[in-house]
Amino acid sequence: MPHENQPSDEARGTLVRIACGAMATYTVGAAVRLGVVDLIADGARTADELAAECAAHPQAMGRLLRALAGLGLLDERAGGTFTVTPAGALLRSDGHRSLHSFVRMFSDPTMLRAWERLDESVRTGETSFDAVFGKDFFGHLAEQPELSADFNAAMSDGTRDTAAVLPSAFDFGRFTTVADIGGGDGTLLAAILQAHPSLGGILFDSAEGLAQAGTKLAREGLADRCSLVAGDFFATAPVGADVYLLKSVIHDWNDAQCTDILRHCRRVIPDGGRLLIVEPVLPPLVDASVSGVVYLSDLNMLVNVGGRERTRDDFAQLCRAAGFEIRTVTRLPEPSRFSVIEAAPV
């Protein structure tokens, strides 16, 4: 009989899976870069067939496919053929609710190399990205248009679930214009404008962040209802809106930087306007109310950009420092893992 303090097989298995997590990340990254799931699509393919189309080694391809099957992304069938599971289908570049771009970016060395120095970041409280790449994360993206486009696409992938539920979770209909600050390609703002035909929109981001926005908004038939404004949210905020929306912006920055961003919004927001911060909200103590992935995101902010995930009290302090008062914090419906923090100017 095992000693009562001896770890169980389940506990050991849990730790082994965690320790091998980086291997899984590189495995799905390789699948995306080789286009494996796109090539299988809705059919059944052998390793030899896929290797020929990818100019890959047949045996090595077979090993990759079996690893993907072991992760639950493919099924192996008799005769050595592989098909795509529902989870694996999310790796298709053309799939419904695809996470192809998200996986491509988050398995890229740009996102991963600073993690190798996590212990150093924990010791110092400083980002590791700058030391690894010689400049800050967004400065690095600005110099590489292709990588910046990958990042914008990944952010769009990661926003779709929120875009599906936010337009009906807040009463946008009582306002006239929404300014999406740091809104990237406009995925979230487009969903809000489509759901509320009387609203106008302002999409505000850096030139790099807006690079794909014009095409997307035109494709959605929204070009005449939304202005694209390039700028720096550390220096200004666009005038002319009565709702200022920041989704996945605040967690990128430290408290002083966040206060600057919010103060610029405070200077231009009208009486009766609203500030909406859309982010995960950490509970006071770790529990099952939020996914464990949110705490990994918190560490990602530490090593790569210098921001952090926050509790309700943390957000309240930021808002007070910038001249806002939180009115409500509403957890968005599934599949989003975000909350809407509604604040009013004071």
Side-chain angles (χ1 to χ4, degrees), residues 134-163:
K135 54 179 58 66
D136 68 86
F137 181 84
F138 291 104
H140 181 71
L141 287 185
E143 294 181 353
Q144 301 190 52
E146 185 175 344
L147 183 64
S148 181
D150 283 347
F151 179 78
N152 292 345
M155 294 303 97
S156 179
D157 278 2
T159 297
R160 287 196 188 103
D161 286 345
T162 299

Side-chain angles (χ1 to χ4, degrees), residues 104-123:
R104 183 180 179 89
M105 187 69 203
F106 277 78
S107 62
D108 188 273
T110 304
M111 299 298 298
L112 297 176
R113 282 189 57 199
W115 275 88
E116 297 169 6
R117 301 192 186 191
L118 173 60
D119 51 347
E120 182 68 17
S121 285
V122 170
R123 290 190 187 99

